[in-house]
Amino acid sequence: MMRCTAKKLFFILFFVCLVTSWAHADYVDDFKKRARSIYLLHSVKFTARTKNVREAADKRKTKSHILAENAHLGMLSYIPSQSIFLPFDDIQTIVSRIEMLTKQIEITKEGETAQRMKFDMAYEYFLLYLHYLNEKYGLTRSSELSMFDDIPVTDKELEQYLALSEYYLKSFLSEPSQTEEVFVQGKDLFKITDDVSFPFRDNKNVYINVYFLAMMLESEKLSANWSDISMSGEQSIQYDKKTWNWLNNLWKRHFRASPGTGAYTPEPKTLFNLYELYLRYHFFGRYIRGLSDDNDPLLDAQTQTLFNRLYTLQKEARLPQITFYKHYLDEAKKDLNNTSFLVNLYLARRGFFAAQDLNFSIPKYELFELYHKLYDTAASQIKYNIPYRSIIYNELILYGIGIDNLRLMEDVLYEYGLLSMRLQESEDGSDNKIKNSSRLTMAYLLANILDKKRRSGLDQNSDEYRDIAETLTPILITKGTEYWEYASVIHSALAMFYSRKEGAYNESLAMYHAKRAFMAPCEKVALTFGKEGSGWAKFHQLPGAESYLKLFLEFQKKYQTSPDAVMPREFNSNLIIKNYQSGIKK
Amino acid sequence: MTFRSVLIVLFFCIAFSLPSFQATALTKLKDGEQAWEKPPAEETAPSGQKQNSRNSRKTNTKKKSYSNKKPGPKLLKLEPEEPQPANDAPSLEWIPEVGKLYNTLYSQEKMSQKDLETFLTGLEANIGINKDGSLDLGKARQAQAALNFYSEDPEKPFSDIYFDDKLNLTGYNYIYFEMCVLNRDKQANRFKSYFEHGFYPNKSLFIKEEYYYKVLYYYLLITQDGLINKITHAIDQLNKTPDKAPAFSTDDILTFDSLVKVCSELDDLRIKGDKSHESPYEKIFSAEERTWLDDSISYFTDIETHIALFSYDWFKANIPLSISAQVISHDIRESWIDQTISHRALLPLMLFTNQGDLQFSVDKLFSESLNKLKLDNREVDVVVMATLKTWLQKQVEHGIKVEDRLKYKDILDELNVCPSGWIFYNLYSCKKPLEEMKEFAQKWDSYSSQKKKELYNDKIVYLYADASDKINVVFSDLEKLFGKVQVFGREQKSTSINHIFHRYKGEIGYYFEYLQFGLYENELASHRFSLANSRKNCLFDFKAAFVKANDVMINHKNLLSAYTLLFKELASQGKISEIQKYESELETFINSPTYRLGSLVDHTEDDRYEIYRIIANTYLSNKRLQTRALNVAERSYQLARSYYSEAARSAGYIYNDVPGALNNNCTEIDDFERQYEFYQEIALKLGKKIWLLLPNEDIQLYNRLLNLRNPEGFLL
């Protein structure tokens, strides 16, 4: 079934590609090949769209529970702003620094200063590369550039900058082959000679290790397939490990009572930034190298430590978004100790942020496709706690709904909804929370699909969703939540669908669903405020509830012969109707 | 054989020695120079001393005595006829002879004309100067060989003059020129004639060393004033009688040519040394000489001098283009070298950034180079355009900002299609008035009619005149190359003139018409002819541009704008038959599978809605054409529908090719609704119901969209 979904999606995308111009298709191909680090790793700038905005006629009633849901998703998809170590937006500074360094390097004799300059040079060229990569493939383009403008930044140029960076960095890196055995011993891995760090842009308080830069460099090279990458995979693992050891040392120094050794001890905030940048490239590196399926307990432990330290440092430096790393820390323990799924999940969640209202250089459905695969992989990497996959699927569904594409919802997301629910069926009562979450997500998706089908008039096959709507309705109406509205939306959409069909059977179905749509808020009121007394009067305060009442009354008149057209008595609905009608008469 | 002759010579050399002579010769050379009254005579002290010491060192080590075997006059008689001792050994006797005579000339209080004449003619015969001033290359080479031979000969006869370790041809040429300069009252012509016909054209023969540059300097000294006088005189004559050829002979032109070349060569020398500690320029010339030279150089290598000169038709017609090309290429090379020196080690990316005093901006360089194209000189064009292309290419590839890269890419594209620099210059300069007109056009509707009139009379007319003058120059040049754009009624013969030129010409015309159109509003018919009346107008140009390149978005946009204006005019003048004619033309463009007019335009910029509205409204007023109005309205509706279903498709609201009602922010919805209503309105006027004209789906779609907009709508 998954395959079928993928096929459908592919078909849609293929069709879309045919429609749009070939130049654009070329751009998207290049984008997929070269821009992985841009959309998975680097910050996406949020640019509110100002041009060509049509005033939305449909002032959607804000549903408090949806807001809460979105807040959670927003937290998960939180993208830390661009790391302070990668200020690649400021091209003027980069260029002037390169110029200055180029001049000075010539007249400086070999020695410590020259070494530092070389490192600076490597760093600046790395930033230059990132800048132009972002110029070419960034998700947001400056408004002056149209979709059709071919941005004159050639691949050759990008490759050249990266090669220059590598050229200057090369002299600091030891030969990989020599250190092969050292890894096994673990302890001696980080030799004293590896601790080569230089101040970042002449800032005496911030140092960066050469292996840190080397790790980032190799990841970028590998991700965009630049030049010779035969060694990059191996090297990036090594550099990654050395960087981790360096960070480890910094961590130890940070918590030693008296640092007194004169060694570099960064401030908590700086240390946090270093760890965060490491996290990004570490995960990115694991993703692009394509992890093998066998577990590496060391790696799992490292991941947990990493999140733990980030969380600790965040608390210590009193930085915002405190729940973010806490959440990951919790999540890292969900699948026994396996953490490999987090890699894809962490990267996939950036899609949420990206899909919000941005001026896209590529259409949203194509953007969805990019992140969609990551969610899929993340789910498949969960090995022990299978039901947890549902959580991931649910997230994917919520993300997809945000794209507001009916075909996507019906053809792709609906299948995921079914999958997510089916996963919960086999495990009875294991985790009610997840089970509930799956069903609610499905209900939300269903409400969206049916409502959008009704509004757009594309409701040819709405009856296909009737069965599942029936099974979901009971769980939506509870005392503490506002999910009744999903039920009302679903049933009213179905009611209107049937009312447009011919035949007595359809008429009775229409009436039946109209009644269900009305009953949902009634039951909700009864549950919340009690059946006795005047609790029912709160019905009129429920946002949007009256429209379902109106629908019911209208259908009642229309289909008088239907059994469901009888004046209902459940949940004080008769009182509500009476009250409403007297209000109109006045 | 050679060996034997060498022995003979050696014998003579050893037989007589006269060590004291050499020293006197040297001091004399120096004294003589100092004795000169004119500034050129100053020999810079360091070089003089250096030379002096070197030479004396040499004398000391050799310790040989020399004598003059033959007196001067005898030599002259003997030299041409006397058979040489051995055929392949160069005759060397004249070398010490010349030296001796040179020495004698210096030692005299007042040079005897006879001696001078002997000296000069003797030298002429030996170093190959023909009577007419041209150089006998064979003889020159022989002399060169003789000098080499002589200087390497350890037992040479004493010669009185040494220029360096080696005696060479340049040096002997130098003394020839030197003597001419010293007696320039009488010998100036001899100098000029040899320099222009013999020495300078064969400059590759001579070593580029101190004496070579001194010769160049003497040349400037001897000719400059005369030439400037002649030019001033010629200009005076031309001012009085422009049609008559002035007194400026071909010889003068040659002098001018040589002078410019000499100046740029000296300038190169000057620049070369600028950056180093020991500037050869400063070494060779004294401070006084340098100031004098700098003035001359800047005068003759300045592009303005040439532009001024070429403003006279006679000069333009008679002076070879290569002279100015020389200046321009020299100038360009200079600025280019400047840049590469100061940014030698840097990436090309950094070429044009600001850094303190070294400021290079592309814009500045660009406009400077552009100015050079004003000359309208083929050879200059080649140089300047090649340089411009390099610069622009560099900008496109390595510019810092992506916006700049795009901007310069556009300019480069235009430059690449310009066959000559003059065309590019004019094309580029018509951009500015055009931009200003565009700006006015944007705000035009917001102005009061009073202000429009003022602006029109005070500014727009002039802008238009300026722009159209320039574009006309472009076209007249292009037509010379590609043939005239011929218009046969409605058709025009295609030429290979690039669409970019047509686009610019069309835009200039269009904006002018557009602004004018806004001016008259209701009294349009009485005030001006419509676009359709003139044969060559923006519509023709836009059509030409579109037909040539229909893959460029702007061409679609422009053509549609021109049609809009045209239909507006025709409608306000009530010319229905014209409208019919142009409508079918427009439809042909739209429906033709090769052109598909409008297919590249974004829906917000598609002018077709407006065109259809104008046409339909006009047809409506005519009973006979009312059904045609309905057709037009339908076309307009279908256009909006196709845009709409495209939008719905990309948003995923589509089922079996039927678009659903969208509920998001997109302007396609507005257009769809508007065009639907327009269609409905026209149908209603003709007594027809819309639901009989359109399929049910479309009606439902419209109603749905309307419902979605209604905040009171059911269950929204």
Side-chain angles (χ1 to χ4, degrees):
Chain A
M1 193 202 61
M2 286 294 298
R3 208 188 231 168
C4 162
T5 324
K7 258 187 190 166
K8 271 186 189 167
L9 186 72
F10 178 74
F11 178 74
I12 297 169
L13 288 171
F14 180 67
F15 196 72
V16 160
C17 278
L18 270 183
V19 172
T20 49
S21 71
W22 286 114
H24 178 239
D26 281 353
Y27 174 78
V28 172
D29 284 350
D30 275 358
F31 180 86
K32 283 176 187 161
K33 191 177 168 201
R34 305 287 194 199
R36 280 197 287 184
S37 82
I38 288 293
Y39 67 83
L40 291 178
L41 181 64
H42 296 292
S43 163
V44 182
K45 262 179 290 172
F46 190 87
T47 55
R49 202 195 316 203
T50 49
K51 228 167 68 177
N52 296 334
V53 177
R54 178 179 182 258
E55 191 58 39
D58 171 29
K59 293 261 169 21
R60 186 163 297 201
K61 282 151 282 177
T62 343
K63 294 161 187 151
S64 50
H65 54 276
I66 291 178
L67 281 180
E69 203 95 347
N70 283 344
H72 178 67
L73 291 174
M75 187 275 288
L76 286 182
S77 65
Y78 158 74
I79 301 183
S81 54
Q82 192 57 54
S83 172
I84 55 159
F85 297 108
L86 298 176
F88 63 70
D89 278 342
D90 185 6
I91 180 72
Q92 297 287 353
T93 313
I94 300 174
V95 169
S96 58
R97 276 184 64 84
I98 292 182
E99 252 178 310
M100 185 262 294
L101 287 167
T102 315
K103 273 188 193 161
Q104 289 184 356
I105 261 183
E106 268 189 19
I107 50 168
T108 312
K109 286 197 188 106
E110 276 300 315
E112 199 197 334
T113 334
Q115 296 277 312
R116 203 181 70 222
M117 279 177 183
K118 269 191 192 166
F119 177 77
D120 282 352
M121 201 72 153
Y123 213 100
E124 296 298 338
Y125 272 118
F126 182 66
L127 293 178
L128 196 65
Y129 165 78
L130 287 183
H131 175 83
Y132 282 112
L133 189 70
N134 193 42
E135 284 288 327
K136 186 162 190 184
Y137 296 116
L139 289 178
T140 51
R141 283 191 183 196
S142 75
S143 53
E144 291 142 49
L145 305 176
S146 78
M147 274 284 286
F148 295 101
D149 271 329
D150 186 20
I151 294 182
V153 176
T154 56
D155 284 353
K156 203 179 148 209
E157 190 187 344
L158 291 171
E159 194 172 352
Q160 190 195 356
Y161 296 143
L162 213 54
L164 276 165
S165 178
E166 199 181 354
Y167 166 79
Y168 282 106
L169 191 65
K170 262 272 124 62
S171 58
F172 300 110
L173 308 173
S174 55
E175 282 298 310
S177 52
Q178 296 168 351
T179 44
E180 196 59 58
E181 328 84 83
V182 187
F183 276 143
V184 187
Q185 298 168 357
K187 202 178 157 196
D188 300 324
L189 167 74
F190 195 71
K191 291 176 291 187
I192 199 73
T193 49
D194 286 347
D195 190 4
V196 183
S197 307
F198 292 98
F200 168 70
R201 282 198 167 171
D202 300 333
N203 184 343
K204 290 281 178 300
N205 296 322
V206 182
Y207 279 76
I208 283 215
N209 191 279
V210 287
Y211 286 101
F212 206 142
L213 179 57
M215 173 182 99
M216 299 196 279
L217 190 85
E218 290 301 329
S219 297
E220 293 286 350
K221 237 169 96 181
L222 201 59
S223 78
N225 265 317
W226 297 124
S227 63
D228 177 24
I229 50 164
S230 50
M231 294 290 287
S232 291
E234 213 177 288
Q235 282 176 348
S236 67
I237 294 178
Q238 262 186 46
Y239 298 153
D240 185 311
K241 286 185 177 168
K242 292 200 180 194
T243 312
W244 174 246
N245 272 284
W246 180 65
L247 287 172
N248 220 359
N249 282 348
L250 291 186
W251 174 264
K252 280 179 204 155
R253 268 182 234 157
H254 180 66
F255 281 96
R256 199 175 293 154
S258 58
T261 49
Y264 170 54
T265 18
E267 290 174 5
K269 200 177 164 198
T270 315
L271 191 58
F272 173 78
N273 279 323
L274 283 170
Y275 265 95
E276 202 206 308
L277 186 60
Y278 172 76
L279 171 74
R280 293 191 205 182
Y281 270 99
H282 174 67
F283 274 7
F284 185 56
R286 276 167 76 175
Y287 167 70
I288 50 172
R289 285 191 298 266
L291 274 187
S292 58
D293 275 328
D294 16 303
N295 263 356
D296 181 354
L298 270 174
L299 212 54
D300 288 335
Q302 187 195 331
T303 312
Q304 290 201 12
T305 320
L306 186 57
F307 279 124
N308 197 9
R309 285 180 186 177
L310 276 165
Y311 177 57
T312 318
L313 285 167
Q314 208 176 15
K315 271 196 295 186
E316 192 185 331
R318 296 173 193 280
L319 295 167
Q321 287 289 348
I322 192 85
T323 42
F324 184 66
Y325 291 109
K326 179 84 173 68
H327 183 88
Y328 275 102
L329 191 55
D330 293 343
E331 217 166 20
K333 291 164 191 156
K334 285 282 197 269
D335 192 24
L336 290 182
N337 275 329
N338 170 32
T339 58
S340 51
F341 75 99
L342 275 178
V343 172
N344 280 289
L345 202 54
Y346 176 84
L347 299 172
R349 279 170 177 163
R350 295 177 161 257
F352 266 110
F353 189 87
Q356 285 164 40
D357 192 34
L358 292 172
N359 287 316
F360 277 124
S361 48
I362 63 167
K364 278 190 182 181
Y365 42 75
E366 284 176 30
L367 196 72
F368 175 81
E369 193 212 24
L370 295 174
Y371 295 102
H372 169 205
K373 281 181 206 149
L374 291 163
Y375 274 112
D376 249 359
T377 322
S380 67
Q381 276 171 344
I382 292 202
K383 284 184 196 141
Y384 311 106
N385 186 3
I386 300 296
Y388 198 75
R389 285 183 186 177
S390 289
I391 293 286
I392 295 174
Y393 290 137
N394 293 345
E395 254 185 69
L396 173 65
I397 293 166
L398 291 175
Y399 167 41
I401 291 172
I403 304 275
D404 189 21
N405 184 319
L406 187 59
R407 291 262 62 78
L408 179 71
M409 286 190 250
E410 276 199 79
D411 300 343
V412 181
L413 300 181
Y414 184 64
E415 305 290 342
Y416 277 104
L418 291 177
L419 187 63
S420 166
M421 279 174 63
R422 204 172 304 130
L423 279 175
Q424 302 304 317
E425 276 165 18
S426 49
E427 313 267 327
D428 315 283
S430 59
D431 195 341
N432 258 331
K433 216 177 144 195
I434 298 185
K435 194 170 183 171
N436 242 344
S437 151
S438 279
R439 286 162 160 193
L440 288 174
T441 312
M442 186 57 155
Y444 181 52
L445 175 66
L446 213 55
N448 262 291
I449 290 178
L450 287 170
D451 190 42
K452 281 179 174 149
K453 281 171 89 68
R454 178 182 71 77
R455 283 161 194 269
S456 64
L458 300 173
D459 58 356
Q460 289 84 345
N461 57 346
S462 287
D463 48 347
E464 283 172 21
Y465 301 101
R466 194 175 156 245
D467 289 344
I468 191 145
E470 285 297 329
T471 53
L472 288 176
T473 313
I475 60 148
L476 293 175
I477 304 156
T478 58
K479 193 175 172 184
T481 63
E482 299 285 335
Y483 297 124
W484 64 269
E485 197 162 1
Y486 296 162
S488 288
V489 168
I490 291 170
H491 283 294
S492 61
L494 284 171
M496 280 186 257
F497 167 73
Y498 285 115
S499 80
R500 276 197 277 131
K501 301 239 165 186
E502 305 279 308
Y505 176 67
N506 285 329
E507 280 182 14
S508 65
L509 273 179
M511 193 61 234
Y512 165 76
H513 284 293
K515 188 183 172 190
R516 294 292 305 265
F518 172 47
M519 280 304 134
C522 293
E523 191 180 350
K524 161 76 188 162
V525 170
L527 274 177
T528 317
F529 303 104
K531 286 177 187 172
E532 310 302 320
S534 58
W536 58 267
K538 301 267 188 195
F539 175 90
H540 300 288
Q541 287 164 17
L542 276 187
E546 270 189 3
S547 57
Y548 304 107
L549 169 62
K550 279 190 239 170
L551 177 76
F552 175 73
L553 291 179
E554 193 181 299
F555 276 37
Q556 204 180 27
K557 255 185 254 165
K558 207 168 164 186
Y559 309 116
Q560 287 171 358
T561 52
S562 173
D564 287 305
V566 182
M567 186 60 81
R569 301 208 160 269
E570 303 99 310
F571 316 117
N572 292 326
S573 50
N574 50 343
L575 293 175
I576 293 169
I577 291 172
K578 211 184 272 172
N579 185 36
Y580 174 72
Q581 281 168 338
S582 65
I584 287 177
K585 270 170 201 161
K586 270 179 213 162
Chain B
M1 293 299 266
T2 325
F3 183 66
R4 217 171 69 189
S5 62
V6 170
L7 278 181
I8 295 167
V9 175
L10 280 181
F11 173 77
F12 282 122
C13 295
I14 296 161
F16 310 91
S17 69
L18 236 165
S20 63
F21 251 71
Q22 196 180 2
T24 23
L26 271 169
T27 43
K28 264 182 196 145
L29 180 66
K30 236 185 133 204
D31 293 345
E33 277 164 4
Q34 278 161 354
W36 291 0
E37 296 152 10
K38 288 280 168 188
E42 289 301 335
E43 175 93 25
T44 47
S47 70
Q49 280 166 4
K50 202 171 173 185
Q51 189 190 342
N52 200 353
S53 62
R54 200 188 295 154
N55 286 339
S56 32
R57 199 165 53 241
K58 192 171 175 178
T59 0
N60 293 340
T61 49
K62 291 235 169 107
K63 301 232 172 191
K64 295 272 144 90
S65 56
Y66 301 87
S67 81
N68 292 320
K69 215 183 96 196
K70 287 161 196 166
K74 208 177 168 190
L75 164 95
L76 283 171
K77 260 179 254 158
L78 281 176
E79 163 55 35
E81 297 110 31
E82 203 182 55
Q84 287 170 5
N87 280 341
D88 31 7
S91 107
L92 303 176
E93 294 84 355
W94 60 274
I95 298 171
E97 283 296 337
V98 165
K100 167 92 176 141
L101 206 48
Y102 179 72
N103 203 17
T104 329
L105 281 173
Y106 259 119
S107 58
Q108 287 166 356
E109 284 282 308
K110 194 167 177 290
M111 276 183 216
S112 86
Q113 287 307 311
K114 205 184 142 219
D115 281 355
L116 182 67
E117 195 59 34
T118 323
F119 173 77
L120 290 176
T121 42
L123 210 51
E124 273 168 10
N126 282 301
I127 58 178
I129 305 174
N130 291 334
K131 278 268 166 342
D132 58 348
S134 62
L135 189 66
D136 182 340
L137 290 179
K139 274 229 178 101
R141 292 223 170 79
Q142 269 178 21
Q144 174 82 46
L147 286 165
N148 280 345
F149 194 84
Y150 177 82
S151 62
E152 273 158 27
D153 182 356
E155 317 203 322
K156 61 190 100 181
F158 177 66
S159 148
D160 282 0
I161 23 173
Y162 277 90
F163 298 105
D164 205 332
D165 289 345
K166 257 187 192 156
L167 288 163
N168 60 36
L169 199 57
T170 318
Y172 274 75
N173 270 285
Y174 167 74
I175 55 166
Y176 178 77
F177 285 122
E178 188 191 25
M179 280 302 154
C180 288
V181 172
L182 284 177
N183 300 281
R184 65 175 110 170
D185 314 338
K186 289 182 184 140
Q187 303 298 343
N189 279 335
R190 196 190 277 257
F191 184 109
K192 256 182 73 180
S193 122
Y194 171 49
F195 187 88
E196 283 165 14
H197 296 102
F199 180 80
Y200 201 62
N202 294 305
K203 58 183 174 181
S204 56
L205 218 66
F206 305 100
I207 307 162
K208 304 277 179 295
E209 45 137 66
E210 184 178 343
Y211 293 106
Y212 173 78
Y213 289 107
K214 289 214 117 163
V215 170
L216 298 189
Y217 165 64
Y218 290 158
Y219 178 69
L220 276 185
L221 197 71
I222 224 163
T223 53
Q224 182 182 297
D225 291 343
L227 185 73
I228 291 177
N229 283 339
K230 280 206 168 140
I231 290 177
T232 339
H233 187 62
I235 286 174
D236 280 348
Q237 268 184 310
L238 283 172
N239 283 338
K240 277 177 209 153
T241 49
D243 301 331
K244 223 180 123 204
F248 201 77
S249 62
T250 39
D251 274 352
D252 296 330
I253 292 174
L254 182 64
T255 309
F256 181 57
D257 185 12
S258 312
L259 227 121
V260 168
K261 282 181 185 155
V262 164
C263 280
S264 16
E265 206 172 335
L266 283 171
D267 200 25
D268 281 343
L269 177 75
R270 181 173 66 171
I271 294 161
K272 219 192 303 173
D274 245 7
K275 302 289 183 294
S276 60
H277 298 293
E278 280 204 346
S279 155
Y281 184 67
E282 282 175 26
K283 222 170 92 184
I284 297 171
F285 302 109
S286 70
E288 252 175 277
E289 286 168 350
R290 266 180 277 139
T291 34
W292 186 86
L293 267 176
D294 288 350
D295 284 349
S296 310
I297 290 173
S298 68
Y299 179 77
F300 282 103
T301 59
D302 188 3
I303 187 73
E304 294 301 327
T305 312
H306 293 254
I307 290 175
L309 204 58
F310 279 108
S311 62
Y312 293 94
D313 285 342
W314 188 88
F315 280 111
K316 198 166 181 172
N318 290 289
I319 287 190
L321 299 174
S322 59
I323 299 179
S324 310
Q326 171 78 27
V327 175
I328 303 269
S329 63
H330 169 76
D331 195 28
I332 285 177
R333 203 166 46 235
E334 193 179 315
S335 47
W336 192 238
I337 286 170
D338 259 4
Q339 288 183 44
T340 33
I341 284 176
S342 52
H343 294 88
R344 186 167 31 92
L346 309 184
L347 271 185
L349 170 78
M350 317 308 166
L351 261 174
F352 300 110
T353 53
N354 304 343
Q355 34 167 315
D357 51 333
L358 288 175
Q359 195 170 56
F360 290 112
S361 84
V362 173
D363 289 329
K364 192 164 149 265
L365 277 175
F366 186 76
S367 54
E368 272 174 11
S369 315
L370 197 66
N371 235 5
K372 286 168 189 141
L373 294 176
K374 261 203 290 197
L375 269 182
D376 188 15
N377 173 331
R378 277 298 126 72
E379 296 190 31
V380 172
D381 284 0
V382 173
V383 181
V384 175
M385 286 169 83
T387 325
L388 272 182
K389 278 177 193 167
T390 325
W391 285 345
L392 289 170
Q393 192 61 41
K394 274 209 158 41
Q395 278 307 300
V396 173
E397 282 167 13
H398 302 287
I400 289 176
K401 282 188 191 151
V402 168
E403 290 81 4
D404 286 349
R405 291 187 184 192
L406 286 167
K407 181 176 125 200
Y408 288 112
K409 188 165 175 282
D410 285 347
I411 299 178
L412 182 62
D413 287 345
E414 285 168 12
L415 182 61
N416 278 331
V417 299
C418 281
S420 79
W422 180 234
I423 289 177
F424 180 69
Y425 175 75
N426 281 293
L427 183 74
Y428 196 80
S429 36
C430 80
K431 272 182 173 183
K432 220 184 131 221
L434 178 61
E435 283 304 315
E436 284 182 46
M437 281 185 2
K438 277 187 190 172
E439 269 171 41
F440 281 123
Q442 264 177 6
K443 298 180 206 145
W444 202 233
D445 290 336
S446 62
Y447 294 141
S448 67
S449 58
Q450 181 60 33
K451 193 172 180 200
K452 278 185 196 172
K453 278 210 176 87
E454 276 170 25
L455 280 175
Y456 182 81
N457 290 328
D458 296 349
K459 292 210 174 124
I460 290 158
V461 176
Y462 298 107
L463 286 176
Y464 174 68
D466 187 14
S468 66
D469 273 359
K470 276 162 184 156
I471 200 76
N472 285 338
V473 171
V474 170
F475 266 82
S476 74
D477 266 27
L478 284 172
E479 281 167 1
K480 274 180 219 155
L481 291 171
F482 298 113
K484 232 169 159 42
V485 183
Q486 281 172 316
V487 184
F488 305 110
R490 201 171 296 248
E491 298 294 314
Q492 54 179 306
K493 201 176 136 235
S494 177
T495 58
S496 21
I497 294 175
N498 193 281
H499 73 98
I500 289 175
F501 301 110
H502 281 293
R503 174 157 67 85
Y504 274 107
K505 193 171 182 215
E507 279 181 8
I508 290 168
Y510 170 76
Y511 283 101
F512 184 62
E513 305 277 344
Y514 177 86
L515 295 167
Q516 216 179 35
F517 182 84
L519 199 64
Y520 299 124
E521 288 174 7
N522 297 325
E523 311 128 51
L524 191 72
S526 53
H527 274 88
R528 63 182 235 115
F529 292 122
S530 67
L531 276 179
N533 281 13
S534 58
R535 294 195 117 198
K536 282 191 183 176
N537 55 28
C538 60
L539 191 65
F540 276 112
D541 282 308
F542 283 153
K543 253 190 270 178
F546 176 72
V547 169
K548 279 171 187 169
N550 65 330
D551 53 343
V552 182
M553 200 258 273
I554 189 77
N555 286 340
H556 287 249
K557 224 175 117 182
N558 278 337
L559 187 56
L560 286 174
S561 313
Y563 271 118
T564 317
L565 191 64
L566 172 77
F567 284 119
K568 259 189 207 165
E569 277 183 354
L570 292 175
S572 70
Q573 293 166 345
K575 293 185 176 161
I576 291 185
S577 58
E578 288 277 304
I579 290 187
Q580 275 176 284
K581 259 197 319 197
Y582 281 105
E583 189 214 333
S584 63
E585 184 187 283
L586 175 68
E587 282 307 308
T588 330
F589 274 128
I590 291 172
N591 296 327
S592 141
T594 32
Y595 295 133
R596 294 176 62 234
L597 177 62
S599 55
L600 290 189
V601 185
D602 187 60
H603 84 106
T604 48
E605 289 175 334
D606 199 331
D607 284 341
R608 276 181 282 177
Y609 298 137
E610 202 181 347
I611 294 177
Y612 287 140
R613 188 174 289 264
I614 297 164
I615 299 177
N617 281 331
T618 322
Y619 286 169
L620 212 55
S621 61
N622 187 322
K623 268 262 177 306
R624 196 167 48 82
L625 291 171
Q626 279 181 344
T627 39
R628 220 169 146 173
L630 197 65
N631 280 340
V632 174
E634 192 198 342
R635 249 182 269 146
S636 135
Y637 165 76
Q638 291 299 350
L639 180 65
R641 191 185 183 276
S642 67
Y643 275 125
Y644 176 78
S645 58
E646 197 56 53
R649 186 187 303 277
S650 71
Y653 283 87
I654 196 149
Y655 191 88
N656 293 338
D657 272 353
V658 179
L662 275 175
N663 187 32
N664 57 9
N665 299 329
C666 77
T667 41
E668 283 93 343
I669 302 175
D670 303 337
D671 285 343
F672 177 77
E673 286 177 1
R674 210 177 297 129
Q675 298 313 312
Y676 179 92
E677 282 153 18
F678 177 64
Y679 189 28
Q680 194 175 30
E681 186 190 310
I682 300 270
L684 217 64
K685 281 183 185 159
L686 301 178
K688 297 193 175 176
K689 300 280 186 242
I690 189 85
W691 55 84
L692 294 175
L693 296 170
L694 285 180
N696 195 28
E697 300 154 4
D698 288 16
I699 313 275
Q700 273 186 8
L701 182 61
Y702 171 73
N703 289 334
R704 253 172 213 293
L705 285 170
L706 219 58
N707 261 334
L708 287 173
R709 285 199 157 205
N710 181 4
E712 296 297 310
F714 185 59
L715 265 187
L716 289 170

